[in-house]
Amino acid sequence: MDAGAPLVRLREVRLPAPERGGLTAAFSLELFPGQAVAVSGSARTGAALIRACLGLATVPAGEVEVLGVRPESAQAVELARLREEVGTVLDPHGLVSNTSLRQNLLLPLLFSHRPMDGEPGRRVDELLRELDLTDRADERPDAAGPGACERAAVGRALARRPRLLLLENLDAALTPREIRAVMALCREEIGTILATATDPGASTSALCDFLVDLSAS
Amino acid sequence: MPRPPAPPARPALPPHRSLAVTATRRAGYSGFPPFLGAALLASARFPRRALAWAVRLASDQVRFTLVQAVPLLVVLAFGTGAAVALEVTRFADFVALSDTLGLVLALIIVRHFGPLLTTILIVGRSGTAVVTEMATVQFTGEVSALEALGIDPIHYYVYPRVLGGAVSTAAAIVIFDFAAVAGAWTVASTQEGMSLHTFLDAFLRAVTPADVVLTVVKGLVFGVGMILLCVHAGLSARMSPTQIPIAARRGVIRALLFVFLASVLFPLVPGVE
């Protein structure tokens, strides 16, 4: 893949829009390194987009290409490699419930085939500090509260220093202040972000370079 | 790489409408054979760095499946051994009592009822726990989140539980056999005054080294099969809380059927008995 090539390429993609009983408008998008794009629509619309980028679902219409891979037709091993190159926060966050927040951040570093730069514990401590989670690091997700869990999910997505971040509906669990801090960290660490939000005026959308508003279409 | 400047305008998009459904791709969990195939293939890609973590999870499984079950297991086994000994002392000639009791214990307890009863107990205690846990993590989105990060749920959820379940089942069967033999001797000594030496002599003459090996092998096979069926039933549950008890029932019934079927088929394997 060329260094200047888009990391995400969507062509004539249409996503489910259950609030209208159908699909969204067809839209195309190219996300280049260093850019942040927000896509606003219903929660299901955002979920469909993020999951299609990872090969967890297929879009009803159009083509999706991520890091030069078409997830829809990719083989399992290729898909696994793609997912290791991408950091993802889903909604709900899906933190592993029987381990602490710290261990949740360690998971992607240990269950990975990518070469690690540095010691995993140090990287996790650094992220916990950046996300203001140091005091809650040993708490389990059910004790930590939704905001802390969402921040931990962002930390888990950042842990491997992925090439691309996919953020699904951060506004659901974080306050505007928390979103500002989290997005600043994401932009500083990774830079290239595809985020979804249920409200085009949500904080996540406001902190991205582009907004694709599917809620009005 | 230098970051390109952010464009000032925000593009809007034209409206559109149609009908379609987003299909999920959950290959491997649809049926048990594909799941088993995926579980076998995934072993080639297990990340070495995660080995210590997986062993820790497996040891947790041993704690839940074996350590916490020991009191119940011992009571059940002691009672079973005592009941068998009571029947034998009622019908056997006193002269041949020790030999008969030794033979019956070796044939009934060590070879058949030990593995069968122990595994049924483990299915009831831990099989239900595993299948409901797997259905719950599926429902809460943990499995999707791990998949999204490129972490194979088979590596994280299946291997540690299968390893812990197999080790626990094999060890539980051995514990069951010891406790059952203790129960039988307690009855033989109190009812018939049989000495421990006579009892053990007769029992050890009836039990062969192959019985011991077979007990462990049966435990490993039963444990692997039972846990795989329970994990599969849980992970293949649909994303709804009402599916959790349905998955639990399905997993437990399949695991019990497997254990009974394997118990029947095991002696038919050439060279086993």
Side-chain angles (χ1 to χ4, degrees):
Chain A
M1 196 181 164
D2 295 340
L7 301 188
V8 178
R9 187 179 273 147
L10 307 177
R11 285 195 204 98
E12 293 298 308
V13 167
R14 301 176 72 189
L15 300 165
E19 71 280 6
R20 287 197 302 275
L23 297 182
T24 63
F27 70 101
S28 299
L29 174 77
E30 287 190 331
L31 179 63
F32 287 91
Q35 291 181 329
V37 171
V39 176
S40 84
S42 71
R44 193 168 158 213
T45 304
L49 174 61
I50 297 292
R51 283 154 216 251
C53 288
L54 296 163
L56 291 168
T58 52
V59 287
E63 283 177 16
V64 176
E65 192 180 299
V66 180
L67 304 183
V69 175
R70 290 178 66 179
E72 194 175 359
S73 54
Q75 297 295 310
V77 174
E78 198 180 10
L79 215 46
R81 275 198 212 110
L82 168 70
R83 291 170 186 172
E84 288 202 9
E85 296 289 328
V86 176
T88 310
V89 179
L90 296 183
D91 178 25
H93 54 69
L95 291 181
V96 176
S97 54
N98 60 1
T99 58
S100 66
L101 297 185
R102 176 193 296 279
Q103 288 170 322
N104 266 287
L105 266 67
L106 262 175
L107 265 181
L109 295 170
L110 298 180
F111 284 80
S112 171
H113 296 277
R114 289 180 76 192
M116 279 194 297
D117 46 340
E119 209 264 314
R122 192 172 298 167
R123 171 71 176 148
V124 168
D125 287 340
E126 176 192 313
L127 284 169
L128 287 168
R129 198 170 46 250
E130 296 278 6
L131 291 160
D132 194 21
L133 287 170
T134 307
D135 295 342
R136 322 198 79 165
D138 296 323
E139 288 180 8
R140 289 188 176 195
D142 55 356
C149 286
E150 195 72 12
R151 296 203 303 280
V154 172
R156 186 172 67 170
L158 292 171
R160 284 182 190 146
R161 299 184 201 278
R163 294 169 63 192
L164 165 71
L165 266 183
L166 301 176
L167 307 176
E168 186 182 320
N169 203 10
L170 283 184
D171 302 87
L174 296 178
T175 62
R177 196 170 136 260
E178 286 175 321
I179 290 173
R180 271 197 299 278
V182 161
M183 286 295 284
L185 178 66
C186 291
R187 296 210 69 162
E188 184 192 322
E189 286 250 348
I190 313 298
T192 317
I193 301 169
L194 178 62
T196 67
T198 50
D199 176 6
S203 310
T204 312
S205 314
L207 295 163
C208 289
D209 304 324
F210 297 92
L211 171 69
V212 179
D213 186 2
L214 299 177
S215 56
S217 61
Chain B
M1 186 189 305
R3 187 179 294 176
R10 294 176 161 223
L13 289 161
H16 228 291
R17 68 238 160 258
S18 178
L19 282 169
V21 182
T22 300
T24 56
R25 289 178 73 196
R26 303 306 304 271
Y29 301 151
S30 48
F32 187 70
F35 170 75
L36 191 60
L40 291 172
L41 288 175
S43 63
R45 273 186 56 81
F46 188 86
R48 284 166 191 265
R49 267 179 240 153
L51 197 60
W53 188 297
V55 169
R56 189 178 62 77
L57 287 178
S59 67
D60 284 346
Q61 188 65 45
V62 171
R63 185 157 52 86
F64 299 134
T65 304
L66 178 66
V67 178
Q68 293 179 358
V70 163
L72 181 62
L73 186 70
V74 168
V75 169
L76 183 73
F78 194 90
T80 306
V84 168
L86 269 176
E87 288 300 319
V88 172
T89 53
R90 191 176 298 169
F91 294 108
D93 181 337
F94 181 74
V95 179
L97 177 61
S98 60
D99 287 343
T100 310
L101 189 55
L103 197 61
V104 168
L105 283 175
L107 281 174
I108 303 292
I109 300 292
V110 175
R111 287 189 192 168
H112 296 289
F113 281 153
L116 186 63
L117 290 177
T118 307
T119 316
I120 289 171
L121 177 74
I122 291 176
V123 169
R125 268 191 94 260
S126 299
T128 47
V130 166
V131 71
T132 48
E133 184 194 4
M134 291 302 100
T136 305
V137 296
Q138 182 73 274
F139 170 64
T140 55
E142 276 186 32
V143 178
S144 302
L146 290 187
E147 282 183 309
L149 290 164
I151 298 172
D152 192 335
I154 287 173
H155 293 160
Y156 188 78
Y157 291 114
V158 181
Y159 288 166
R161 279 161 187 81
V162 167
L163 178 64
V167 169
S168 300
T169 309
I173 292 172
V174 172
I175 292 170
F176 183 99
D177 288 349
F178 273 106
V181 168
W185 177 71
T186 305
V187 168
S189 67
T190 52
Q191 297 274 311
E192 303 293 337
M194 189 183 291
S195 71
L196 181 61
H197 180 265
T198 310
F199 175 84
L200 284 179
D201 184 51
F203 176 68
L204 292 175
R205 263 188 285 122
V207 174
T208 63
D211 287 326
V212 179
V213 174
L214 192 62
T215 295
V216 175
V217 171
K218 262 188 176 179
L220 295 174
V221 171
F222 286 6
V224 168
M226 176 261 294
I227 293 287
L228 274 175
L229 285 161
C230 289
V231 170
H232 170 254
L235 289 180
S236 56
R238 277 172 287 158
M239 306 277 273
S240 159
T242 57
Q243 293 296 314
I244 295 173
I246 295 170
R249 188 186 60 204
R250 188 188 302 131
V252 167
I253 288 173
R254 285 178 184 173
L256 287 175
L257 284 174
F258 164 75
V259 172
F260 278 105
L261 197 65
S263 285
V264 171
L265 294 178
F266 230 91
L268 301 179
V269 177
V272 162
E273 294 287 321

